[in-house]
Every structure is written in C-alpha cells, then in structure tokens.
Amino acid sequence: MGIPGAFPPLAGNKNLNMGNLALINLMLEGKSGELVVNEVKYNGIMPPFTSLTDEEIATVLTYTKVKFSSDKSAVTTEEI
C-alpha cells in the first residue's frame, strides 16, 4: 500500500503496465522527481538496484507484475 507522502503503493499502480524494458530501466537507473500514482503526486528518489543480479531483478519484477498489475508476463534474465 506504500506510505502516503513518501512511497507510492504498488497496488493499483498503473506505472507497472509500462512494459518490461521500462521497468528494467527503472530498476537499473533508479528514479527521481515527480511521480503520479493513483492520482497522488510523489516526489522522491528511488536509487538504482545495481547490486542485484540479473536473475534477482527478473524475479522481483515478475513477482511485482503478477501480484500488482494487469500485465502478468514474466521478465526474463535475457531481457535484463
């Protein structure tokens, strides 16, 4: 559910439907600045997850998509 004003929720977050490549880039590059989730604006920093292996990134993104988005396709290590 996130933390209001600090961390956006995954539940209902339409940004999770932006495609595998965009999600992979988000994990590898991080994000800063404004983000709108469920009509609420967040303005923070998500650091890049460069310490994770390709397999770990694929696992985290696949789980997140299956659990919280309408896109149930897997993210593969080859895509990373």
Side-chain angles (χ1 to χ4, degrees):
M1 297 309 302
I3 298 175
F7 303 107
L10 293 174
N13 187 333
K14 293 178 183 175
N15 294 303
L16 293 175
N17 294 319
M18 63 181 156
N20 289 359
L21 183 58
L23 291 172
I24 291 165
N25 287 333
L26 179 66
M27 289 283 293
L28 294 175
E29 298 172 7
K31 170 118 176 102
S32 63
E34 187 175 284
L35 177 70
V36 178
V37 177
N38 301 338
E39 300 179 21
V40 177
K41 290 182 185 178
Y42 294 84
N43 193 0
I45 297 172
M46 183 185 98
F49 287 87
T50 54
S51 64
L52 298 178
T53 66
D54 290 354
E55 184 176 346
E56 290 169 329
I57 291 171
T59 300
V60 167
L61 288 176
T62 297
Y63 172 82
T64 303
K65 288 175 62 180
V66 168
K67 182 76 176 171
F68 298 105
S69 81
S70 61
D71 179 0
K72 307 298 184 193
S73 65
V75 176
T76 67
T77 55
E78 292 79 18
E79 290 176 290
I80 310 297

